[in-house]
Structure formats: structure tokens, C-alpha cells
Amino acid sequence: HDHHHGHGHDHAHDHAHGPRGHAHNDDVRGVALSLDRPLDGQKFTRWIDELLATKGQDILRAKGIIDIAGEDRRLVFQAVHMILEGDLQRPWGTDERRWSRAVFIGRDLDEAALKAGFESCLA
């Protein structure tokens, strides 16, 4: 007798267990950062590379749109763990707010350290 057929409650929670046998979903959170001043492209690249090299296993996803000083186009990036891709995309619109924003989703993220690192990239 198969007791898993159509009895009206959800078994999705059965799949949320980590390697130690209990749910780890609480550890995962998001950190959103934003700055209203342009970033230095080289500083930002160094910072994000270093961040992903050291914390990439805990960063499930990261993405953002960055205002690079002296650049008319938006830098758009995304990362999954240690794999980063980014490129300059469409130009900022003449009436568009130029600002940098990034979101990190992961385990045990240090929001203060992420904020300090992001701010250290200001041009």
C-alpha cells in the first residue's frame, strides 16, 4: 500500500533537509546593497573576485547593476558560487538614476563586511 497518494497535505518539507539531517533553510538570507556614487571599475572587479574566491561556496547567487566611473554603460553582473560573469550593457538613459546595486543570497553572509567591501569600491 502506497501511503503517498492524494491525501491532501504537502510533503515538500521532506526535501528541505541538509546533510546533518535537519533543515538549514534559516541560514540562507539575502543582503541588498546600493550606492548613489560611481564605483571604480578595477576596485570593484578586485573586490568581487576576492569575495567569490573566499566566500563563493556560501554565496548561492549574486547579481547587480553597477555605475562605473567614467563609463556610459551599465555594468551588469551575476554570479553563482564562484562563477562570475559580467559585461557592460546598454548605456544609462539620460533621465535614468545612475546608482549601483547588488544583491547577495547565501549562507552565513556578513552584511557589515559586504557593505564595507562594496563601499571600498567607490571611485
Side-chain angles (χ1 to χ4, degrees), residues 65 67 72-74 90-99 101:
I65 300 172
D67 178 15
D72 291 334
R73 292 169 297 166
R74 304 158 7 130
R90 72 169 176 79
W92 292 94
T94 48
D95 296 330
E96 186 176 9
R97 176 182 172 202
R98 288 184 71 143
W99 59 303
R101 55 232 190 251

Side-chain angles (χ1 to χ4, degrees), residues 23-82:
H24 287 281
N25 294 349
D26 330 346
D27 308 356
V28 175
R29 58 186 288 250
V31 174
L33 305 172
S34 65
L35 289 169
D36 277 321
R37 298 190 355 246
L39 301 188
D40 177 298
Q42 289 183 322
K43 285 182 188 174
F44 177 74
T45 300
R46 269 197 307 273
W47 174 71
I48 196 87
D49 285 346
E50 173 72 14
L51 177 67
L52 294 174
T54 57
K55 304 280 186 206
Q57 285 168 318
D58 290 325
I59 295 174
L60 306 176
R61 184 110 166 78
K63 61 184 183 175
I65 300 172
I66 307 299
D67 178 15
I68 300 294
E71 175 55 61
D72 291 334
R73 292 169 297 166
R74 304 158 7 130
L75 173 65
V76 178
F77 80 90
Q78 63 175 347
V80 176
H81 293 294
M82 296 171 182

